[in-house]
Amino acid sequence: MSDCYELNVAGVTRQLPIIPISRDLAIASFVILGDCELVTAAAPELARRLPPVDYLVTAEAKGIPLVQELCRLLGHPYYIVARKSIKSYMDEPLVDEVNSITTQKTQTLCLDGKDALAIKGKTVAIVDDVISTGESLQAIERLVVKAGAQVAARAAILAEGAAAERDDIIFLQKLPLFPLR
């Protein structure tokens, strides 16, 4: 196995380091935090594929630069971030738990009560950098539905492993998994 995987997405090429995450599996580490070039190249491609929605929702933290750019392109004044812990400023937060492939432990996701009120009765797109097992996506979707919103789209720059075979997500490029045995 090579030490890197070459990714080409939206006209941008990156060498992604291959990182073991268990005894049996490695992933190509895709991090968009700080990668302005990739985010600004990928966002217009993703924006063209999204249906009309009232809000974009993402999980803290890697999806934030992508939804920021998508909001700018779509003319949305505000986006929603499901935080990883309850913050003191949150009023009546909605909470869910998730086990994701990259964190390998239970994580909490919280939607501030004011955000829940904002999306009630609205349509949303859930956006992330990578969709792999779909666990984070499902946790955000549970929060959004609990808030009374309708999910119109699930989108990411990359679909990893079996997620690339799903027909209920919008993505720009497939990202393979790397079995170690």
Side-chain angles (χ1 to χ4, degrees), residues 11-177:
V12 177
T13 301
R14 293 289 180 265
Q15 298 295 322
L16 305 181
I18 297 175
I19 308 293
I21 60 168
S22 72
R23 289 181 29 204
D24 302 325
L25 186 64
I27 61 170
S29 179
F30 179 70
V31 179
I32 64 171
L33 292 173
D35 196 339
C36 187
E37 180 185 29
L38 193 140
V39 169
T40 55
E45 296 293 323
L46 211 48
R48 280 192 275 282
R49 299 175 190 201
L50 288 175
V53 294
D54 299 307
Y55 287 96
L56 301 176
V57 181
T58 194
E60 187 178 34
K62 291 195 301 182
I64 293 173
L66 180 59
V67 295
Q68 170 76 31
E69 183 64 8
L70 284 168
C71 276
R72 188 186 71 76
L73 292 169
L74 297 171
H76 289 212
Y78 187 81
Y79 58 88
I80 309 292
V81 178
R83 302 296 305 268
K84 290 184 179 175
S85 63
I86 296 174
K87 306 299 180 190
S88 60
Y89 61 78
M90 290 182 169
D91 184 31
E92 298 182 32
L94 303 179
V95 179
D96 205 318
E97 289 188 340
V98 63
N99 290 302
S100 98
I101 191 172
T102 51
T103 58
Q104 298 181 342
K105 62 179 183 173
T106 301
Q107 255 188 325
T108 301
L109 285 177
C110 311
L111 195 61
D112 192 345
K114 75 171 181 59
D115 291 334
L117 284 173
I119 64 174
K120 184 177 182 176
K122 304 291 185 182
T123 58
V124 303
I126 300 171
V127 179
D128 210 345
D129 60 334
V130 179
I131 297 172
S132 187
T133 63
E135 295 293 329
S136 298
L137 186 78
Q138 289 173 6
I140 296 170
E141 187 158 351
R142 288 190 298 267
L143 286 172
V144 163
V145 169
K146 199 183 296 185
Q150 179 183 1
V151 177
R154 298 154 197 85
I157 296 173
L158 304 175
E160 186 174 52
E165 306 308 317
R166 292 175 54 173
D167 61 5
D168 66 326
I169 59 174
I170 299 164
F171 62 95
L172 302 181
Q173 190 74 10
K174 295 179 181 181
L175 186 63
L177 293 171

